[in-house]
Amino acid sequence: MSKPPISRGFFGQRRDDRSDRVPPGQHLTPDFPVLSAGPTPHVDLSNWSFFLADGDRPIAEWRWAEFGTLPQREVTVDIHCVTTWSKLDTAWRGVTVDALLEAAGLGEPPTPYAMIECIGGYTTNVPVEDMIGGKAMVATEFDGRPLSPEHGGPARLLVPHLYFWKSAKWVRGIRFTDEDEPGFWEQLGYHIHGDPWREQRYAGD
Ligand SMILES: Nc1nc2c(c(=O)[nH]1)N[C@H]1C(S)=C(S)[C@@H](COP(=O)(O)O)O[C@H]1N2
Ligand SMILES: [Mo]
């Protein structure tokens, strides 16, 4: 793609502006890489459901059609993968964790921590305070289309202010826990929290 010289300053300026949005050690990618620890599950929507549980105690469960009746929100956010790619202005639609708690009749989250559970067995731990106040959603659409299976469809968690391994694909529920227990990558040495602005990549960072 060739551009007339006059637009170079313009794009250069924009690049400078955008660099404020790229955390340390990250670079921008125009693509949307796929990173999965296992095979992509192909999920039958008639079997899909999403749960909230307090430890072993079920709190709420929604099947696909019910989930679609919950209040939907659209967000445009930047995402940051620990493998060093960042992607700006990604557009998602889904149900915020706040809305899930409210639909479940919970004024307060039951515990301070949570384990996110996925079809296929992937897990990741996220403190509840990183999911409420509009900070996280269960996303079912990307870029105006149903979320593709490779990117976690039918539904994935989106916690964009943490490294993208926390945005669990093929999510099936949130289990509230009393302690901050390590999930899949966290047990393998990734940071327990994963804030990209503090470069919390690996345990000890
Ligand atoms: N269920 C599940 N969720 C997952 C993963 C996975 O392997 N399984 N990989 C994580 C990692 S390490 C990253 S970087 C992002 C990648 O999401 P993407 O494939 O949509 O780019 O998904 C995260 N969520
Ligand atoms: Mo990742």
Side-chain angles (χ1 to χ4, degrees), residues 21 71-79 87-98 133-144 156-161 164 167:
R21 293 163 61 184
Q72 309 285 320
R73 274 198 53 189
E74 290 176 13
V75 296
T76 299
V77 293
D78 303 340
I79 56 179
K87 188 171 173 61
L88 303 186
D89 296 323
T90 61
W92 305 83
R93 186 170 198 265
V95 181
T96 61
V97 173
D98 303 301
K135 293 200 276 297
M137 65 161 52
V138 174
T140 54
E141 290 186 18
F142 172 75
D143 233 357
R156 80 182 295 165
L157 191 72
L158 177 68
V159 198
H161 72 286
F164 210 38
S167 292

Side-chain angles (χ1 to χ4, degrees), residues 35 81-83 85 122 163-165 185 190:
L35 284 104
C81 175
V82 73
T83 62
W85 58 264
Y122 184 88
Y163 280 123
F164 210 38
W165 88 77
W185 283 118
Y190 281 68

Side-chain angles (χ1 to χ4, degrees), residues 51-172:
F51 71 82
L52 298 182
D54 180 2
D56 292 333
R57 188 176 68 83
I59 300 173
E61 186 161 16
W62 299 272
R63 298 175 64 86
W64 181 257
E66 297 165 333
F67 201 82
T69 68
L70 298 175
Q72 309 285 320
R73 274 198 53 189
E74 290 176 13
V75 296
T76 299
V77 293
D78 303 340
I79 56 179
H80 311 289
C81 175
V82 73
T83 62
T84 75
W85 58 264
S86 290
K87 188 171 173 61
L88 303 186
D89 296 323
T90 61
W92 305 83
R93 186 170 198 265
V95 181
T96 61
V97 173
D98 303 301
L100 292 172
L101 289 168
E102 194 180 328
L106 292 174
E108 292 268 300
T111 68
Y113 302 105
M115 188 64 81
I116 314 304
E117 297 185 5
C118 302
I119 297 161
Y122 184 88
T123 56
T124 188
N125 56 300
V126 184
V128 173
E129 67 165 17
D130 282 296
M131 292 194 285
I132 59 176
K135 293 200 276 297
M137 65 161 52
V138 174
T140 54
E141 290 186 18
F142 172 75
D143 233 357
R145 291 194 197 84
L147 189 56
S148 68
E150 296 73 29
H151 288 299
R156 80 182 295 165
L157 191 72
L158 177 68
V159 198
H161 72 286
L162 298 179
Y163 280 123
F164 210 38
W165 88 77
K166 298 287 187 181
S167 292
K169 304 196 280 190
W170 317 296
V171 70
R172 51 185 286 271

